[in-house]
Amino acid sequence: MVQKAKILLVDDRPENLLALEAILSALDQTLVRASSGEEALKALLTDDFAVILLDVQMPGMDGFETAAHIKRRERTRDIPIIFLTAINHGPHHTFRGYAAGAVDYISKPFDPWVLRAKVSVFVELYMKNVQLREQAALLRLQLEGSQPATGDTKEPAGLLAELSARLAAVEEQAEALSKQLGDSQSAADAAAVATAAHLERKLTGLRRALDALEPGAEGSAASLPSQN
């Protein structure tokens, strides 16, 4: 069964949450509601999210303060945040949103198709990252279970070839996504390009570690990069 990404929707108005759910339901991902900044932070303690849609104007803890808490936590600091606001206070207000760690800042009313397209990019990046972590974990487990016994110099060549092929498939998908994003010119897509580049750097590190395990190369399972 294909794993679904979780998208966190944060707004104090139920009708706004309902509208977001209607717009994003076509993505066929798991939509999680939060009616306040405090509720959003609680959800982030236990679940991993591909992207957060965060309303700016909320009573109590507003969107800027909520984003500041999210970015201070090591577990959640890299989750993309898209700010949604019904009030446009000009460039200074928008800059404050980006300074708080947002990858995009959208004023209501927004184009449903555009919002859905932006969210889908971050969902796809998240799924590629999950796939990368799973491949890295599988590599570690299988290599640990394939360590040769004392006096046995046989290399797990078949295993390395299989894992190399799986990694190549992920690399190809990431390259295609980066090329697709590279054709875009908007600020939001530029942020997505940066996220894709981060994913490609992780793939490069994993490829180097895998190459180091090839017969005749110096390296070991311990040299594999940590995938956070």
Side-chain angles (χ1 to χ4, degrees):
M1 184 174 63
V2 178
Q3 179 183 358
K4 292 186 178 182
K6 291 185 178 180
I7 302 170
L8 183 58
L9 314 177
V10 189
D11 199 303
D12 62 300
R13 300 177 67 87
E15 62 271 24
N16 290 343
L17 291 172
L18 187 62
L20 288 174
E21 288 176 336
I23 293 169
L24 300 176
S25 60
L27 297 180
D28 193 28
Q29 304 300 325
T30 302
L31 306 177
V32 178
R33 284 189 176 200
S35 58
S36 66
E38 293 85 354
E39 190 174 332
L41 294 177
K42 288 181 181 178
L44 288 162
L45 289 174
T46 55
D47 289 325
D48 293 325
F49 292 91
V51 61
I52 302 169
L53 274 64
L54 180 58
D55 184 39
V56 172
Q57 303 295 129
M58 295 187 294
M61 184 184 297
D62 66 12
F64 295 131
E65 187 178 355
T66 302
H69 282 288
I70 292 171
K71 293 303 177 181
R72 280 198 292 265
R73 293 179 178 177
E74 184 176 356
R75 173 188 172 92
T76 58
R77 65 178 55 167
D78 294 326
I79 302 176
I81 298 174
I82 298 177
F83 273 134
L84 304 176
T85 179
I87 302 176
N88 187 357
H89 292 294
H92 176 73
H93 199 254
T94 303
F95 174 78
R96 186 182 176 192
Y98 287 117
V103 297
D104 204 355
Y105 193 100
I106 303 177
S107 297
K108 304 173 186 176
F110 43 77
D111 185 325
W113 187 91
V114 170
L115 179 62
R116 186 163 54 242
K118 291 177 183 295
V119 171
S120 69
V121 169
F122 291 106
V123 167
E124 188 170 358
L125 288 172
Y126 172 81
M127 297 304 289
K128 293 292 187 294
N129 209 10
V130 168
Q131 188 176 5
L132 171 61
R133 291 199 302 266
E134 290 174 348
Q135 296 292 348
L138 177 63
L139 175 60
R140 288 189 180 89
L141 288 174
Q142 291 187 320
L143 286 175
E144 289 171 2
S146 301
Q147 293 300 318
T150 303
D152 184 359
T153 59
K154 181 180 179 181
E155 295 283 349
L159 170 62
L160 290 175
E162 178 186 353
L163 292 172
S164 180
R166 293 183 183 182
L167 179 57
V170 179
E171 289 172 329
E172 183 178 354
Q173 293 172 348
E175 183 180 355
L177 180 59
S178 294
K179 185 177 184 302
Q180 176 186 345
L181 292 172
D183 297 332
S184 301
Q185 300 298 325
S186 71
D189 288 332
V193 169
T195 304
H198 179 66
L199 173 60
E200 287 193 323
R201 287 194 295 272
K202 287 187 174 184
L203 283 168
T204 299
L206 185 56
R207 170 59 68 185
R208 288 174 179 170
L210 186 59
D211 288 345
L213 294 170
E214 292 291 340
E218 294 184 359
S220 66
S223 68
L224 288 174
S226 173
Q227 301 297 327
N228 295 323

